[in-house]
Amino acid sequence: SAIDACKTSNGGCSAKAECRRTTPGNRTCICNAGYTGDGIVCIEINPCLENNGGCDRNAECTQIGPNQAVCNCLKGYSGDGKRCTYISLCSQNNGGCSEFAICNDTELTGRTCTCRENYIGDGFKCRGNIAQELLRDTNTSRFYFHLEALSIRDIAGPGPFTLFVPRTDILNSDPRVKNWIARGVMAQVIRYHMVGCASLLYSDLATLTNVTSLHGDPIHISYSQNSLVLNNKAEVILSDAVGTNGVIHVINQILVP
């Protein structure tokens, strides 16, 4: 009988190939599906090596078997892997940027935050002029309302200014305030808390002994026990709220000229 060339050792074909008898005593080797080669040697086909395995260019192709692969969208993209679309970070909550910032989607870093015109900051925190900043903070908003009520417009200019702002609860609870308003001197008291032509940070104030207020009278500055004290009584409790035209410091007492 005719010799079956495929009978032993798969006819010398690869274990990943099919041995087929041709003429008596002869055979041919054909690589199985998912493999490539001459049949003697069969290598697993990696579909990811060509055209990213049919995956989107913003997807990762992972081989899971002979000529089999899965596509997974890269971080920052969504879809089925065959098609991936960029997820806009800016579309939600302004991308975590300040409400006064412009959020720009960028493929490399995700997004950038840039403060709008007339605002300063790092994009995550943006500050406007000191009048806007007074109004935005409950600690200082009462001072702003006094400025408005008394038509004090000094800080509307380009500045720079330095403000020492008594905290809202102190302005609300000090019985002298009503008396000053009734006597028509509240504007003088308020302007005594404002310094023109200088944006003095906490570190600057620590090197000074006095500054001249917009009211005209000097404010004495001393530094003791790790805190700045004005006129030997009002302590700076919050400092360096920097705006486009100056800086705000919150104090725990009203300064009286």
Side-chain angles (χ1 to χ4, degrees):
S1 65
I3 298 165
D4 182 353
C6 292
K7 195 170 183 183
T8 56
S9 301
N10 198 31
C13 300
S14 164
K16 305 292 185 189
E18 180 191 352
C19 181
R20 287 184 188 170
R21 291 165 65 188
T22 52
T23 54
N26 293 311
R27 55 96 182 97
T28 186
C29 304
I30 298 160
C31 291
N32 295 339
Y35 292 84
T36 183
D38 60 4
I40 309 294
V41 176
C42 294
I43 299 166
E44 197 171 283
I45 295 168
N46 181 353
C48 297
L49 298 177
E50 197 173 318
N51 199 27
N52 201 30
C55 304
D56 188 273
R57 69 185 182 93
N58 293 304
E60 184 179 27
C61 178
T62 309
Q63 185 186 1
I64 55 167
N67 208 18
Q68 293 176 300
V70 290
C71 305
N72 292 299
C73 292
L74 298 174
K75 191 176 178 221
Y77 293 83
S78 68
D80 61 4
K82 296 285 186 188
R83 189 159 182 273
C84 300
T85 52
Y86 182 68
I87 301 166
S88 167
L89 291 175
C90 294
S91 64
Q92 293 179 313
N93 195 29
N94 202 30
C97 303
S98 162
E99 60 181 307
F100 304 113
I102 296 163
C103 180
N104 278 314
D105 282 302
T106 59
E107 287 205 19
L108 290 174
T109 55
R111 57 98 178 82
T112 59
C113 304
T114 312
C115 291
R116 294 180 185 276
E117 198 179 348
N118 299 323
Y119 286 88
I120 56 168
D122 60 6
F124 297 98
K125 198 164 191 182
C126 299
R127 294 183 181 277
N129 62 45
I130 46 180
Q132 290 170 302
E133 294 308 311
L134 286 172
L135 190 57
R136 280 175 63 197
D137 188 339
T138 53
N139 282 315
T140 57
S141 55
R142 190 75 198 147
F143 189 86
Y144 174 84
F145 295 135
H146 281 295
L147 288 175
E148 284 294 296
L150 298 161
S151 296
I152 297 171
R153 297 275 179 260
D154 299 86
I155 61 167
F161 303 96
T162 301
L163 303 188
F164 301 107
V165 180
R167 208 172 55 208
T168 289
D169 59 325
I170 289 146
L171 281 171
N172 283 342
S173 61
D174 194 314
R176 296 174 297 173
V177 172
K178 276 184 183 171
N179 179 30
W180 289 327
I181 293 169
R183 284 170 44 212
V185 297
M186 189 62 184
Q188 293 170 46
V189 173
I190 289 290
R191 292 182 92 242
Y192 186 51
H193 293 78
M194 303 158 74
V195 176
C197 302
S199 185
L200 300 167
L201 298 174
Y202 191 92
S203 56
D204 301 319
L205 295 169
T207 66
L208 301 172
T209 52
N210 57 67
V211 289
T212 303
S213 69
L214 289 182
H215 169 264
D217 285 0
I219 300 166
H220 177 69
I221 302 169
S222 54
Y223 189 75
S224 66
Q225 295 175 327
N226 290 336
S227 59
L228 275 178
V229 180
L230 308 180
N231 292 351
N232 296 319
K233 55 189 275 184
E235 190 180 326
V236 175
I237 50 175
L238 294 166
S239 61
D240 295 353
V242 177
T244 53
N245 64 339
V247 61
I248 299 164
H249 306 283
V250 179
I251 55 177
N252 64 357
Q253 288 199 43
I254 299 173
L255 302 176
V256 184

